[in-house]
Structure formats: structure tokens, C-alpha cells
């Protein structure tokens, strides 16, 4: 198992663990909801909590979309005019989600420098500010009429300040009678949610483009590609192993082996529809996901693909044995495929396919359905 696979598995375990922690912390924070005097407020807060869990559990959306959906849920449930979530990403403060025009994002990302919020950050307590008619909120740099009331919630995780949540209203004294207990509970759940989203963002960004073939690496399937794959209830997942690639590299040279792999990818790419996804799984294995396709159609396609690929001829250049230069070599492949059902463990499906290829006879060259 290569290092990237180990990292991916660890990250997936971390993501599952983070979601589990969100459930546990949510249950713990529900105790705070019991202190709320207003029954309606309790119901709304529980609904928001349920929204958070459903949004995080939706594997068809990426991390950015999840944060925007969470922000929209807060706006809808609590009838907030404006809501902005800002987090520190290790280098700078960044707007994670907001329903305010993007031209204001730079201002939002500098609120931690505002003197009016310094005490709030220092004491980890909310700060409510409002104005009377004709006045403006001190942090606003433009469109002074947009907001007339605001509550600033500093966000801490493990006693470390990591960002803030700002809600704004367009009327003076709009939040005078609001119970900040309920919003503080929401803020704490934002912390748990952000931990999960950070893990998901790592998964989305860990994939890279393979230098030899020009296609994405295996990790891509668990980020951007997942949104396309899970548009359909079922898909077909396949692995294509070039069974003579290692031999070609050893007896002829790495350059020829690389050219063989690139020729296979170039040919296959031209045969795939836009929603079919091909990635490099390992040095001699490609993974192809036929999004929304049925087994019968894919079986015929893979049979034809195998036949065509094995007719590819690649000229030998730079071989250690000069006599081989100018001659041609052809790839030999072994293909295995199976069905994938939406929202099941894609990584387990692919792992099973890889184990089958590893256990095959070294010279097995076939198209097999598991």
C-alpha cells in the first residue's frame, strides 16, 4: 500500500471520527438548550442542529458548499438579515460563508483588528453593537445603511481563537431583546462543524495531477469527483492493470514504460464520456468510474477497450540495449469491475478490486466482473 493510500485512509477515518464527535458534542450541547425559556427557541435550535448534521453528511457537496448551506440554514431558521462566518486558515482570515456581497469580504476578514471587538475576543464573549437613526456602525467602510445592528461571536476551539461569526440586522436596536444563549449554542456547534469541514477540505485538496499521464491521482475520487458520481444511484467502478508494465521498465527502460502508460490514458480518455472519471490509482493501475452506467453496457465497453489497448504499439527509445531502439512494444492489461451504489463506501469497493488484481496469476489478462 503506497503512502498516499495510507494518508487517504487515515483522513477518511479522521473524517468519520469528526462526524461522530459532532454527534457527541451536539448531544452534550443540547443540555444548554434545556436552559432556554422559550420552547419555540429550543425547537428552532434542535432543527438547526439537525440541519448541520444533514449538511455535513451530504457527500455530494464540497466543503465550501457545506459552509454556505450551514450559513443559509442559520439565516432561514433565525430570520437573520446578514450572517458571515470567518475562520483563520493558518495564514490569514478567510470568509467561509456569507450572504453579503463579496465586495465586503476584505472588511469582514479584518474585524479582528477592530478595537470595538478586541475585548470580545480577549474574553471569549459576544459583543452586541447598534446605532440610533443617523449613526453608523464603527466597522463599516461602505454602504453604511446596510447594517444598523450586529452581534460579534468570537470562535474558540480547545481554548484557541480561530475566527468569528457576525450576524447583522438592518434596523437599529434589532437585537436588543434576543437571547444570546441560543446563538452561543449555535456558535459552539459551528466549531464542531468547522472541524469536520477542514478534514473534508484536506481530502478535496490532497489529489494532484500525475505528471506522466496528465490525469488526476486516486484521491480525486473522494473530492470533486464524488459530486458527479453520486448524482446517480448506481455506477460501475473498474480497475485497469497494465500487467507487463513492470517488466517493460526492467528490461527496456522507464521512459518506454511511461510512454506505454501515457498512450493507454490518451486513448482511453478519448473513449470516455464527460461524466466518466479516470484517475491514476498506482504506478501500473488506472481506476475508471462509469457514473450512472449499467453493468451490461460497461462490460461490452471494457471488452472492446481491452482489445484496442492491446493493439497499441509504442516505439522504444533510450533502451539500455541499443538493439531494442526503434522496435515496438504493446501493453497487456487485466481489468476487473463491479457495481457501486450511491452513499456506500467507494474506497472499500476499490480496495476489493485492487486485492483481486493483486491475487491474480501474474499473466492473467481478462475482463472480470466481481
Amino acid at each position: 500500500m503506497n503512502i498516499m493510500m495510507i494518508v487517504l485512509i487515515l483522513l477518511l477515518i479522521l473524517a468519520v471520527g469528526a462526524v461522530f464527535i459532532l454527534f457527541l458534542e451536539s448531544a452534550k450541547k443540547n443540555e444548554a438548550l434545556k436552559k432556554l425559556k422559550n420552547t419555540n427557541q429550543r425547537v428552532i435550535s434542535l432543527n438547526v442542529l439537525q440541519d448541520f448534521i444533514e449538511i455535513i453528511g451530504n457527500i455530494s457537496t464540497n466543503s465550501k458548499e457545506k459552509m454556505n448551506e450551514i450559513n443559509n440554514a442559520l439565516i432561514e431558521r433565525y430570520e437573520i438579515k446578514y450572517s458571515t462566518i470567518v475562520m483563520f486558515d493558518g495564514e490569514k482570515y478567510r470568509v467561509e460563508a456569507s450572504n453579503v456581497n463579496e465586495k465586503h469580504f476584505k472588511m469582514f476578514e479584518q474585524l479582528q483588528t477592530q478595537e470595538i471587538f478586541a475585548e470580545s475576543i480577549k474574553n471569549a464573549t459576544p459583543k452586541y453593537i447598534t446605532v440610533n437613526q443617523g449613526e453608523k456602525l464603527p466597522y463599516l467602510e461602505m454602504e453604511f445603511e446596510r447594517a444598523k445592528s450586529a452581534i460579534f461571536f468570537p470562535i474558540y476551539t480547545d481554548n484557541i481563537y480561530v475566527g468569528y461569526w457576525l450576524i447583522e440586522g438592518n434596523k437599529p436596536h434589532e437585537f436588543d431583546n434576543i437571547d444570546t444563549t441560543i446563538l452561543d449554542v449555535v456558535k459552539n456547534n459551528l466549531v464542531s462543524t468547522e472541524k469536520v469541514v477542514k478534514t473534508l477540505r484536506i481530502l478535496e485538496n490532497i489529489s494532484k495531477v500525475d505528471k506522466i499521464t496528465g490525469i488526476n491521482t486516486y484521491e480525486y475520487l473522494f473530492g470533486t469527483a464524488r459530486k458527479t458520481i453520486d448524482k446517480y444511484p448506481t455506477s460501475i467502478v473498474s480497475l485497469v492493470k497494465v500487467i507487463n508494465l513492470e517488466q517493460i521498465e526492467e528490461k527496456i527502460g522507464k521512459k518506454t514504460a511511461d510512454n506505454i502508460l501515457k498512450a493507454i490514458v490518451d486513448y482511453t480518455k478519448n473513449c470516455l464520456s464527460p461524466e466518466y472519471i479516470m484517475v491514476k490509482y498506482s504506478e501500473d493501475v488506472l481506476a475508471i468510474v462509469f457514473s450512472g452506467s449499467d453493468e451490461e453496457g460497461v462490460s461490452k465497453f471494457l471488452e472492446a477497450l481491452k482489445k484496442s489497448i492491446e493493439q497499441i504499439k509504442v516505439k522504444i527509445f533510450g533502451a539500455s540495449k541499443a538493439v531494442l531502439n526503434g522496435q515496438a512494444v504493446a501493453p497487456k492489461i487485466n481489468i476487473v469491475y463491479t457495481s457501486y451504489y450511491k452513499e456506500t463506501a467507494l474506497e472499500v469497493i476499490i480496495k476489493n478490486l485492487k486485492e483481486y488484481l493483486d491475487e491474480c496469476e501474474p499473466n492473467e489478462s481478462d475482463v472480470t466482473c466481481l
Side-chain angles (χ1 to χ4, degrees):
M1 184 178 293
N2 59 40
I3 294 175
M4 291 301 291
M5 272 294 294
I6 294 172
V7 170
L8 179 61
I9 291 170
L10 289 175
L11 285 171
L12 287 170
I13 292 171
L14 181 59
V16 172
V19 173
F20 182 65
I21 289 170
L22 177 60
F23 274 93
L24 290 181
E25 291 191 5
S26 297
K28 202 165 48 175
K29 288 161 188 168
N30 282 343
E31 293 298 317
L33 296 177
K34 295 178 182 178
K35 299 177 182 178
L36 296 175
K37 298 176 182 178
N38 189 310
T39 303
N40 185 53
Q41 287 183 338
R42 290 189 197 176
V43 172
I44 291 174
S45 289
L46 288 170
N47 286 339
V48 168
L49 183 57
Q50 182 63 35
D51 289 341
F52 279 19
I53 292 171
E54 289 179 0
I55 290 167
I56 288 298
N58 183 1
I59 60 178
S60 66
T61 58
N62 61 35
S63 57
K64 180 64 176 176
E65 291 168 333
K66 288 183 192 300
M67 288 306 296
N68 282 323
E69 288 183 16
I70 285 168
N71 198 49
N72 290 336
L74 294 172
I75 292 166
E76 182 180 347
R77 294 289 189 184
Y78 294 114
E79 298 181 351
I80 299 168
K81 184 67 178 177
Y82 303 110
S83 174
T84 301
I85 301 167
V86 178
M87 302 298 292
F88 183 63
D89 65 6
E91 294 183 2
K92 61 181 181 179
Y93 286 85
R94 178 179 62 190
V95 172
E96 288 280 6
S98 180
N99 67 326
V100 181
N101 193 296
E102 285 190 23
K103 65 184 179 182
H104 299 294
F105 281 14
K106 185 176 180 181
M107 174 199 69
F108 286 132
E109 291 166 349
Q110 297 174 348
L111 291 184
Q112 79 282 355
T113 66
Q114 294 282 335
E115 185 178 346
I116 195 168
F117 299 128
E119 186 178 354
S120 173
I121 294 170
K122 181 180 178 181
N123 298 326
T125 55
K127 176 67 176 179
Y128 173 43
I129 56 175
T130 189
V131 297
N132 295 312
Q133 291 295 342
E135 299 175 340
K136 73 178 183 70
L137 292 174
Y139 65 87
L140 291 179
E141 297 176 352
M142 58 178 76
E143 290 188 352
F144 302 136
E145 298 299 318
R146 182 182 60 80
K148 294 294 185 181
S149 301
I151 305 180
F152 177 91
F153 292 91
I155 298 176
Y156 281 77
T157 176
D158 300 326
N159 296 318
I160 299 173
Y161 169 65
V162 294
Y164 41 87
W165 175 36
L166 183 77
I167 65 171
E168 299 172 294
N170 59 354
K171 300 174 185 176
H173 301 278
E174 188 167 340
F175 304 129
D176 284 5
N177 300 315
I178 196 168
D179 186 347
T180 57
T181 304
I182 188 171
L183 295 176
D184 206 43
V185 172
V186 171
K187 180 208 67 176
N188 290 334
N189 279 303
L190 275 176
V191 174
S192 302
T193 304
E194 173 65 12
K195 289 179 181 178
V196 179
V197 170
K198 278 184 178 178
T199 303
L200 295 174
R201 188 171 291 127
I202 292 171
L203 284 173
E204 292 166 359
N205 295 331
I206 197 172
S207 70
K208 58 183 182 294
V209 174
D210 178 62
K211 292 181 180 179
I212 297 170
T213 61
I215 59 175
N216 289 295
T217 55
Y218 169 64
E219 299 79 17
Y220 178 76
L221 291 178
F222 304 95
T224 307
R226 197 63 177 265
K227 187 174 181 180
T228 299
I229 297 167
D230 282 344
K231 283 166 57 177
Y232 304 95
T234 60
S235 298
I236 302 297
V237 182
S238 67
L239 291 186
V240 179
K241 181 176 182 178
V242 188
I243 60 175
N244 62 340
L245 195 68
E246 185 177 349
Q247 185 181 24
I248 290 171
E249 184 171 339
E250 289 177 355
K251 294 188 175 181
I252 300 174
K254 188 175 188 310
K255 186 174 181 180
T256 301
D258 289 348
N259 288 341
I260 282 279
L261 195 60
K262 189 175 186 309
I264 292 171
V265 168
D266 289 345
Y267 177 83
T268 306
K269 275 197 301 188
N270 291 329
C271 300
L272 299 177
S273 73
E275 291 200 324
Y276 294 170
I277 298 162
M278 177 171 57
V279 298
K280 187 177 179 182
Y281 180 88
S282 64
E283 292 304 310
D284 58 358
V285 178
L286 304 171
I288 306 174
V289 179
F290 298 88
S291 311
S293 292
D294 61 272
E295 184 181 311
E296 183 179 356
V298 170
S299 176
K300 293 178 180 177
F301 174 85
L302 290 175
E303 291 282 359
L305 180 68
K306 181 180 185 299
K307 184 176 180 180
S308 297
I309 285 176
E310 292 181 341
Q311 291 175 352
I312 293 174
K313 303 292 183 182
V314 174
K315 282 193 175 182
I316 299 171
F317 293 101
S320 55
K321 295 181 180 179
V323 69
L324 295 175
N325 291 325
Q327 296 185 34
V329 63
K332 269 313 247 194
I333 63 174
N334 194 20
I335 301 176
V336 61
Y337 68 96
T338 193
S339 297
Y340 162 73
Y341 300 92
K342 181 179 178 179
E343 297 187 6
T344 58
L346 179 59
E347 68 280 2
V348 174
I349 297 290
I350 296 177
K351 179 175 176 288
N352 291 339
L353 294 178
K354 181 61 166 60
E355 286 177 352
Y356 173 84
L357 289 176
D358 290 341
E359 293 169 3
C360 285
E361 290 295 324
N363 294 323
E364 181 176 319
S365 178
D366 206 345
V367 176
T368 305
C369 177
L370 294 187

